[in-house]
Amino acid sequence: MQIQKSGLLSDEARAARALITTLLIDSHHEREADMERRWHWDRQRTKAAVGAFSSGDVNNSTSTSAEFMAHLVKQSVVARIAASTMRVGFNQPVNSPFSASAAWVPEMHAIPVYSQSLVNHSLPRRKVGAVTVLTMEALEQENAEFALLTALSTACTEAMDAQFLDPDAVSSEAPRPITADAEIIVAGSDPAASFRELFQNFPNLAGSVLVMHPEPAANLGLVTVGGAHVFPDIGVLGGTICGLPVICSQSAPLDSTGSTITLLDASRVLLAMGGVSITRTESADIELQDDIDSDGMGQAVSLFQSNAVAAKSLLFANWKLLDPDACRIMVGANW
């Protein structure tokens, strides 16, 4: 979170402060008093951000809650390519514009049209949820809003990106991975030759992006030949390879055999992103999934007895690749 040059808080910082107030205090009127006490100089603007956490308009991608979601998952691959995708609402039937055809035709002859142009696509609402638990003492600490926003955004971003990028991710409750039917290129020992094969005959290469884990991105930045860097414009924060933008994500597939690098034409992605719902409770019991007993039950912990509050966030998103040739992956990149 940053203070802007004008002296006003950034939208991200203001949303985080609204979040911390929402979690600490259940009463709307008491929240206003708390904002006055904590951030009196920016209270009105922070107050306006509180509405972002109760919006039920998950189909409206321009809603206040959707704007907060953009802050919450701004580092996710899905959010970073969203501007290049075909954005739609949930359960809204649309046909693909990429089924359009063009041909030279004689005078008085019809331009050919194919049946695929009449196929409708619809994206049902899907959600990814995250829960974080903090003690009241922790929420009262300085910059607690930054820590809480980071925790929720990291959890949601990793879950969404993993489902988006991993071709082996299977869930009946989640969208199908964008890489599920992608053509597979096996990486060789020479990264330059491997990228040459990945790029060969790829449609709309100039309008595409590369997505990879930060580790191979760092390794590529260290590759030299004769003392000269082969990929001088790539690193853990991304960059470019042969002019193509590179997005790095911790959720990109990486295992002992190497990494999976995705080449994607985002304009061929149908994307629905709705609002975010964040709720709080101090009275529930939570079940610890990493402490399962012989009956398959997790240890129950009382939030009330722990003087803690649980924050639950739900993000709504769905996607579909309209053109199977618009995605290609390279596996086994182990440079």
Side-chain angles (χ1 to χ4, degrees):
M1 295 178 294
Q2 298 178 347
I3 303 292
Q4 296 177 341
K5 291 182 179 180
S6 63
L8 297 178
L9 287 173
S10 67
D11 289 340
E12 181 185 7
R14 197 169 288 121
R17 288 186 167 183
L19 173 58
I20 206 77
T21 302
T22 301
L23 294 180
L24 274 171
I25 300 172
D26 194 34
S27 167
H28 174 73
H29 297 294
E30 292 179 9
R31 287 178 198 161
E32 293 190 27
D34 184 71
M35 284 185 282
E36 176 68 33
R37 175 178 64 84
R38 288 171 175 261
W39 310 297
H40 58 89
W41 62 275
D42 198 44
R43 177 179 65 86
Q44 288 300 324
R45 294 179 178 84
T46 300
K47 175 183 175 182
V50 173
F53 306 104
S54 58
S55 174
D57 188 12
V58 297
N59 288 326
N60 186 357
S61 60
T62 62
S63 67
T64 303
S65 60
E67 293 171 5
F68 175 74
M69 184 183 68
H71 290 302
L72 194 66
V73 294
K74 67 177 184 177
Q75 295 304 316
S76 75
V77 174
V78 178
R80 292 171 71 179
I81 69 168
S84 300
T85 64
M86 183 178 175
R87 296 290 297 273
V88 298
F90 294 109
N91 299 306
Q92 175 184 323
V94 295
N95 67 322
S96 171
F98 307 113
S99 57
S101 58
W104 293 98
V105 294
E107 189 71 22
M108 304 300 291
H109 281 63
I111 299 173
V113 178
Y114 300 97
S115 59
Q116 185 63 29
S117 64
L118 300 177
V119 175
N120 277 335
H121 304 273
S122 180
L123 297 179
R125 189 178 69 175
R126 302 294 189 191
K127 62 185 178 183
V128 55
V131 174
T132 186
V133 179
L134 294 97
T135 63
M136 290 299 184
E137 292 82 359
L139 288 172
E140 290 284 0
Q141 299 307 305
E142 185 177 359
N143 289 333
E145 64 269 21
F146 177 76
L148 182 58
L149 189 66
T150 300
L152 287 174
S153 63
T154 298
C156 292
T157 293
E158 289 180 352
M160 187 160 58
D161 281 359
Q163 187 64 34
F164 188 76
L165 296 170
D166 188 351
D168 297 323
V170 177
S171 172
S172 59
E173 303 300 327
R176 199 159 183 258
I178 214 74
T179 53
D181 298 318
E183 179 185 357
I184 299 174
I185 304 296
V186 179
S189 58
D190 180 359
S194 298
F195 278 110
R196 186 178 297 112
E197 184 179 1
L198 181 66
F199 297 155
Q200 188 173 17
N201 298 323
F202 188 79
N204 193 28
L205 183 62
S208 299
V209 297
L210 287 165
V211 185
M212 65 180 71
H213 193 279
E215 184 176 315
N219 293 338
L220 286 170
L222 297 172
V223 174
T224 59
V225 173
H229 288 277
V230 179
F231 303 97
D233 301 318
I234 182 67
V236 296
L237 299 181
T240 61
I241 292 179
C242 299
L244 280 175
V246 176
I247 298 175
C248 287
S249 170
Q250 289 289 147
S251 298
L254 175 69
D255 56 28
S256 59
T257 66
S259 63
T260 296
I261 297 175
T262 301
L263 176 61
L264 175 66
D265 176 5
S267 69
R268 265 60 175 176
V269 175
L270 196 67
L271 177 65
M273 295 186 75
V276 58
S277 169
I278 297 182
T279 54
R280 68 184 293 278
T281 182
E282 301 172 44
S283 58
D285 288 344
I286 55 175
E287 187 176 287
L288 303 181
Q289 295 300 302
D290 56 351
D291 192 1
I292 305 297
D293 60 23
S294 58
D295 295 325
M297 302 294 292
Q299 178 185 350
V301 175
S302 168
L303 293 176
F304 176 76
Q305 291 179 328
S306 304
N307 193 32
V309 59
K312 179 180 72 174
S313 66
L314 296 175
L315 296 175
F316 300 90
N318 201 351
W319 55 74
K320 183 177 183 179
L321 189 64
L322 293 173
D323 181 357
D325 294 328
C327 184
R328 186 181 290 171
I329 60 176
M330 178 163 57
V331 300
N334 197 16
W335 308 303

